[in-house]
Amino acid sequence: MSDDAPRPYGFDTLQIHAGARPDPATGARQTPIYQNTGYVFRDAEHAAALFNLQEVGFIYSRLTNPTVAVLQERIATLEGGVGAICTGSGHAAQLMALFPLMSPGDDIVVCNRLYGGTVTQFSQTIKRFGWKAKFVDADKPGEVAKACGKRTKAIFCESICNPGGYVTDIPKIAAVAERKGVPLIVDNTSATPYLCKPIEMGATLVVHSTTKYLSGSGQAMGGVIVDSGTFDWSASDKFPSLSEPEPAYHGLKFHETFGPLAFTFNGIAIGLRDLGMTQSPMNAFLTLLGIETLSLRMEKHVANAKKLAEWLENDPRVASVSYAGLKSSPYYRRARKVYPNGAGALFTVALKGGYDACVKMVDGVEIFSHVANLGDTRSLIIHSASTTHRQLTPEQQVAAGAGPDVVRLSIGIEDADDLIADLDQALAKATA
Ligand SMILES: *Cc1c(COP(=O)(O)O)cnc(C)c1O
């Protein structure tokens, strides 16, 4: 018996224990908040070894911190990756994921159904680095493949897409990425590893805004990049930052030296060191607390979302509901296949009363909060076209599922009947 590999722990066990152990100094059972910047070296030799990346350890909290390290290991384990890099926000994670892959003149091929802030980051801001994003319809793998050119360094999509709850066929997109020899980056924020494991479906990197479901109660900003460890960075000359000598580390080659952990080490040793988009220990602690109940919350989020979507769909004041967990959705079968634990808790509702009714509904709710966040225990509502997706052109808004006649709901974990009653009275005001 003793020779047998141990039975792997289940998700509910890992979300509480992965990466954590009693504090070696005090025995504290909960992960302590190491609200600390510098770490004492044993001696000069130890310090030199750490700075040369010959030994792994703590130097300075811009790069590594014990509380943040537990969060990194916890999320890497839940996603099935070999390592992870935590960042100060989800947007920081996206830039940090691209940074080792891109040079001026390079491009990424991205799905056009995306979080509004990501559309802006990719279509406007990254141009200042000389990078370019080509937007495509992920429902057309042929279009995705065609957009991949000589200078394409990654394909980027979301698993369950904000705001409309569209579900991406990740295995299909992963097959395109593999054929083109580029990494697939999946933003798994709205699904979480409880509903979707992109790495098992062929993703190279997974990014999150941990600000949302992972922290879970709208209490801490944060982001993470999870490294699958599966991509061969040396198979072509496309990724010199990972395969070629690094001048800022005496000519060290990350892929040759660290193998499957090349991206993770590069992200910490170059990305966090030089870009400094570090997550604070306090936010890592709050996010760890949130993750301990992730599966319980997601079950309830999904159950509530399904009930509310079904109720809304049958209401005469509603034109349509975008939830992929509804039998009427064109994505129902895909959602069942790719996201068997549920299609998330995010969707849009189109009102027959159009823009005016949407705005009145947002003003009329009582339990729902009118905020730009999502993935909170609280139910949230927003009119995307006038807020989160405001910087987009009307065509981009419609492509992203955020047209002027829809409101976005992020369904929380309150009593479903109370939420239905709240939407009922808000709809009454909106259509009076
Ligand atoms: C919120 C969000 C982001 C951005 O994350 P921040 O933590 O707000 O920087 C990126 N992608 C998705 C899907 C999001 O919901």
Side-chain angles (χ1 to χ4, degrees):
M1 284 297 286
S2 57
D3 288 347
D4 287 353
R7 195 177 66 83
Y9 289 132
F11 193 95
D12 292 354
T13 305
L14 293 172
Q15 72 185 356
I16 294 169
H17 291 286
R21 61 195 173 109
D23 179 49
T26 62
R29 180 60 271 207
Q30 187 51 276
T31 299
I33 307 162
Y34 285 90
Q35 198 65 51
N36 175 63
T37 53
Y39 303 84
V40 179
F41 306 120
R42 288 195 303 271
D43 51 35
E45 197 184 338
H46 177 221
L50 289 173
F51 273 89
N52 260 345
L53 298 183
Q54 285 157 333
E55 194 176 320
V56 177
F58 298 105
I59 299 177
Y60 184 59
S61 283
R62 177 161 17 89
L63 291 90
T64 46
N65 170 280
T67 313
V68 179
V70 174
L71 179 61
Q72 287 171 165
E73 190 172 338
R74 173 99 29 106
I75 299 175
T77 304
L78 294 177
E79 286 284 5
V82 295
I85 308 140
C86 282
T87 57
S89 71
H91 265 13
Q94 291 172 187
L95 278 188
M96 285 268 298
L98 295 179
F99 188 67
L101 313 178
M102 307 286 283
S103 298
D106 286 344
D107 63 70
I108 48 173
V109 171
V110 306
C111 169
N112 57 12
R113 296 180 186 85
L114 290 176
Y115 176 71
T118 305
V119 176
T120 310
Q121 187 186 53
F122 285 174
S123 63
Q124 307 294 333
T125 306
I126 64 170
K127 281 197 253 177
R128 312 244 184 118
F129 303 139
W131 307 346
K132 191 178 154 201
K134 299 179 187 164
F135 288 82
V136 294
D137 183 350
D139 261 349
K140 300 182 179 133
E143 200 179 290
V144 179
K146 225 168 75 198
C148 291
K150 265 205 171 69
R151 300 295 302 262
T152 299
K153 297 300 170 73
I155 298 175
F156 185 103
C157 67
E158 292 179 11
S159 47
I160 295 179
C161 302
N162 189 335
Y166 162 91
V167 290
T168 303
D169 197 337
I170 296 174
K172 277 223 175 91
I173 306 298
V176 175
E178 168 138 37
R179 243 189 7 261
K180 294 292 176 183
V182 295
L184 171 64
I185 306 173
V186 176
D187 181 339
N188 201 27
T189 299
S190 305
T192 82
Y194 184 67
L195 300 181
C196 174
K197 296 262 188 73
I199 288 173
E200 286 177 2
M201 298 180 218
T204 305
L205 301 172
V206 175
V207 294
H208 278 276
S209 166
T210 62
T211 314
K212 315 291 170 53
Y213 292 105
L214 293 184
S215 79
S217 303
Q219 80 278 38
M221 296 296 299
V224 68
I225 309 149
V226 183
D227 176 10
S228 67
T230 56
F231 196 86
D232 183 358
W233 303 109
S234 306
S236 71
D237 58 7
K238 270 178 177 275
F239 304 103
S241 297
L242 293 155
S243 63
E244 296 297 313
E246 168 57 51
Y249 271 108
H250 316 298
L252 175 120
K253 293 182 183 176
F254 276 91
H255 192 210
E256 190 182 278
T257 309
F258 300 110
L261 280 164
F263 191 95
T264 307
F265 270 85
N266 188 282
I268 293 167
I270 306 282
L272 288 180
R273 186 193 67 177
D274 297 343
L275 302 179
M277 299 193 255
T278 307
Q279 183 168 135
S280 79
M282 184 68 196
N283 282 20
F285 171 79
L286 290 169
T287 305
L288 279 165
L289 269 191
I291 291 175
E292 292 191 4
T293 57
L294 178 64
S295 64
L296 307 179
R297 287 185 288 107
M298 293 314 290
E299 291 276 353
K300 175 84 171 172
H301 277 296
V302 167
N304 276 359
K306 204 158 164 287
K307 267 194 201 155
L308 266 74
E310 279 165 4
W311 180 83
L312 283 162
E313 186 178 41
N314 290 313
D315 191 284
R317 296 162 291 191
V318 169
S320 64
V321 180
S322 71
Y323 190 50
L326 286 172
K327 287 210 176 78
S328 59
S329 164
Y331 300 110
Y332 179 73
R333 289 179 61 193
R334 179 187 297 173
R336 288 285 294 255
K337 194 177 96 209
V338 185
Y339 306 86
N341 284 347
L346 198 66
F347 56 84
T348 55
V349 185
L351 299 186
K352 286 182 185 159
Y355 183 99
D356 290 344
C358 288
V359 173
K360 282 188 197 149
M361 183 180 179
V362 166
D363 283 339
V365 289
E366 282 162 13
I367 299 175
F368 276 78
S369 303
H370 182 195
V371 302
N373 193 16
L374 64 94
D376 195 322
T377 47
R378 276 152 280 268
S379 290
L380 313 173
I381 187 168
I382 198 158
H383 183 237
S384 304
S386 59
T387 54
T388 55
H389 289 64
R390 189 181 188 87
Q391 307 307 329
L392 276 56
T393 64
E395 298 75 41
Q396 284 176 322
Q397 286 176 349
V398 171
D405 61 335
V406 304
V407 291
R408 184 196 74 191
L409 302 179
S410 169
I411 306 301
I413 60 176
E414 303 98 330
D415 284 293
D417 290 343
D418 293 339
L419 297 177
I420 288 173
D422 190 26
L423 292 183
D424 192 25
Q425 66 81 25
L427 278 167
K429 287 182 199 156
T431 52

